[in-house]
Amino acid sequence: MALPVTTRAAPAMPFAPQPRTAGGGLLRRPSPPAAALRIAPPLFWPWQKVKVGPLSVSPMGFGTWAWGNQLLWGYQESMDTELLECFNLALKNGINLFDTADSYGTGKLNGQSERLLGKFIREYEGPMKSPDDVIIATKFAAYPWRLTSGQFVSACKSSLERLQLDRLGIGQLHWSTANYAPLQERALWDGLVEMYEKGLVRAVGVSNYGPKQLLKIHSHLSSRGVPLSSAQVQFSLLSMGDEQMELKTVCDSLGIRLIAYSPLGLGMLTGKYTTSNLPSGPRSVLFRQILPGLESLLTCLKRIAERKGKTMSQVAINWCICKGTIPIPGVKTVRHVEDNLGALGWRLSPAEVSELEAAAMESPKRMVQNIFQTA
């Protein structure tokens, strides 16, 4: 389903006569300043892309949870114009991974995130050989009425319709039902197998799986000849507990790429908020509980950011990259995209990574883990 891309060759031009002085000599044009000859390097080179199964993706992706979510993120359809600008700016800077879910969007806007991504891919005016150039990773909710593998495959087809795509980059199980409906779990796993075998997805992954359950699904998929390519989990300086680090170790041993969602702790690591300046909506409750204990970590983030000439957000995201994950910070404004792009093209030193982790360990509060994450 290649997008129509038209190019027009420039007409051949004869050699223009060279300007000359009154005496007939060639007129020497002033040389452009050295700064004009310098071309800014890309944020990352093609060989620095990251492998996720058969896919090559940018070292950082963007999350689209806010695209359609009115309750937590205050989405309004009037924001769509700026969201399109976010998408275009990301692609122009080499970002090709966008994470979404069939449950993103509140009420009648359910699935809005997928619809917007599909629309934006179609409207993109930059160079794109195929929609496959954009890696869409969507997650399928383990709703209680999705009891068979066929129903899970139908969910994948519905996502493809909203996205206006023939196949997905990564099809992901949004959460495990092992803790409350273990019999449903096997049907969902088989659904991932079927969508992979039918060519509806190029790779499969999971989200909110702990290390033990990850080993189980990896074994099951392997027995069916399907590689498990990714595991998405909350991972940041606020979510670096023993279980998260064990999960990272398991992923590394099995060749599974860890995708880090909420790398900025829902905004707590940006330096934007304080106990007297809380975000609106439900996040304020969580921030009021956790922020008072983050002084050491936020001070360390600020110190390193100033030393590097970066923002606190860029340092926090770069830490995730240094840990070998693909962070997917959420974006809903052009300013968010511009700031997050500044996390690429450089690396924290090993000493700075250790300094941040030591400060994080001193913090008495941690990010509340997703209730759906299994052991």
Side-chain angles (χ1 to χ4, degrees):
M1 190 177 66
L3 296 182
V5 178
T6 58
T7 57
R8 181 177 297 174
M13 297 293 293
F15 289 107
Q18 297 296 309
R20 295 180 177 274
T21 65
L26 288 175
L27 179 66
R28 188 178 300 276
R29 288 193 173 102
S31 300
L37 298 175
R38 289 197 297 266
I39 299 175
L43 295 174
F44 57 92
W45 298 100
W47 58 85
Q48 292 176 311
K49 283 188 173 182
V50 179
K51 295 297 289 184
V52 181
L55 309 173
S56 292
V57 307
S58 45
M60 175 181 71
F62 284 140
T64 62
W65 182 16
W67 298 16
N69 188 300
Q70 295 174 316
L71 178 64
L72 193 64
W73 299 108
Y75 168 80
Q76 300 294 329
E77 291 186 48
S78 59
M79 299 176 178
D80 290 356
T81 300
E82 185 164 14
L83 293 179
L84 173 60
E85 292 179 32
C86 291
F87 179 82
N88 290 342
L89 181 60
L91 277 188
K92 288 174 182 176
N93 282 276
I95 302 299
N96 70 339
L97 175 65
F98 295 85
D99 181 76
T100 183
D102 64 358
S103 60
Y104 284 179
T106 50
K108 66 178 182 179
L109 293 173
N110 194 54
Q112 180 75 347
S113 174
E114 291 181 332
R115 279 188 288 270
L116 288 173
L117 280 169
K119 180 174 182 286
F120 296 165
I121 292 173
R122 288 287 178 179
E123 294 178 354
Y124 184 62
E125 297 180 350
M128 185 186 296
K129 296 178 182 177
S130 158
D132 280 348
D133 290 351
V134 181
I135 308 298
I136 300 296
T138 200
K139 301 181 289 293
F140 311 114
Y143 291 135
W145 54 85
R146 290 178 177 169
L147 297 172
T148 67
S149 60
Q151 289 173 316
F152 215 48
V153 171
S154 294
C156 178
K157 291 179 178 178
S158 294
S159 286
L160 288 171
E161 288 180 9
R162 286 188 290 271
L163 287 159
Q164 303 178 63
L165 296 174
D166 289 332
R167 61 176 178 172
L168 291 166
I170 312 174
Q172 306 164 100
L173 174 53
H174 204 155
W175 65 83
S176 169
T177 65
N179 290 341
Y180 61 91
L183 295 180
Q184 183 186 11
E185 182 92 340
R186 184 58 62 90
L188 301 180
W189 292 358
D190 289 339
L192 288 177
V193 171
E194 287 186 32
M195 62 182 72
Y196 181 82
E197 291 177 341
K198 292 177 182 293
L200 301 177
V201 300
R202 299 165 68 189
V204 300
V206 293
S207 179
N208 297 309
Y209 267 60
K212 294 178 181 177
Q213 201 66 10
L214 186 68
L215 287 167
K216 292 178 183 179
I217 187 173
H218 177 270
S219 176
H220 179 77
L221 294 181
S222 294
S223 71
R224 301 286 300 275
V226 178
L228 181 60
S229 296
S230 65
Q232 187 178 145
V233 70
Q234 185 171 224
F235 191 92
S236 73
L237 284 163
L238 288 179
S239 302
M240 47 170 281
D242 292 342
E243 189 170 282
Q244 307 301 81
M245 302 314 292
E246 181 185 354
L247 179 67
K248 180 63 173 61
T249 300
V250 171
C251 284
D252 291 346
S253 68
L254 297 176
I256 299 170
R257 181 66 63 178
L258 195 147
I259 299 175
Y261 73 75
S262 293
L264 298 176
L266 297 180
M268 271 185 273
L269 297 179
T270 64
K272 177 181 177 181
Y273 301 104
T274 64
T275 52
S276 58
N277 178 34
L278 297 170
S280 58
R283 282 190 299 160
S284 63
V285 178
L286 184 65
F287 279 44
R288 188 175 289 110
Q289 295 174 349
I290 299 178
L291 271 176
L294 297 185
E295 183 177 351
S296 175
L297 175 57
L298 295 178
T299 298
C300 182
L301 270 172
K302 184 177 181 181
R303 181 171 62 249
I304 292 177
E306 291 175 347
R307 184 192 310 158
K308 309 287 280 191
K310 299 294 179 180
T311 66
M312 292 170 65
S313 297
Q314 291 164 0
V315 171
I317 293 171
N318 194 271
W319 176 85
C320 292
I321 295 173
C322 289
K323 299 302 287 186
T325 75
I326 303 176
I328 49 169
V331 293
K332 62 177 183 175
T333 67
V334 169
R335 182 179 58 80
H336 288 160
V337 177
E338 291 172 340
D339 188 33
N340 292 341
L341 287 173
L344 298 174
W346 59 282
R347 304 272 293 195
L348 291 164
S349 70
E352 289 166 335
V353 169
S354 297
E355 187 180 348
L356 286 166
E357 292 174 4
M361 294 301 292
E362 290 178 12
S363 301
K365 295 286 187 178
R366 296 281 188 278
M367 192 61 152
V368 177
Q369 292 303 309
N370 194 309
I371 60 172
F372 287 111
Q373 182 168 331
T374 60

